[in-house]
Amino acid sequence: MSTWGWVCQENGCPSKTDGARQRYRSKDAAQVAAKAHTKATGHKTRIIEYT
């Protein structure tokens, strides 16, 4: 079963790897966390799937 995470695509962002360290059981949960980061910072994020 896959787990999911996210990465910030903004260079120099202190949260760049926060989402990658957090593993989510569903893609939806990872997207919610990534959207929260985007809303807070204006940075673009990318969802990652770990298989």
Side-chain angles (χ1 to χ4, degrees):
M1 193 174 145
S2 298
T3 55
W4 301 83
W6 61 273
V7 289
C8 180
Q9 295 186 294
E10 189 74 28
N11 285 330
C13 177
S15 299
K16 194 161 177 71
T17 57
D18 282 4
R21 278 198 302 271
Q22 284 283 91
R23 296 288 177 98
Y24 299 94
R25 290 206 179 126
S26 72
K27 189 176 186 180
D28 287 346
Q31 284 174 325
V32 167
K35 278 182 186 153
H37 179 73
T38 300
K39 191 172 182 184
T41 61
H43 297 168
K44 287 193 162 108
T45 55
R46 190 165 52 87
I47 302 296
I48 315 167
E49 181 179 5
Y50 303 97
T51 51

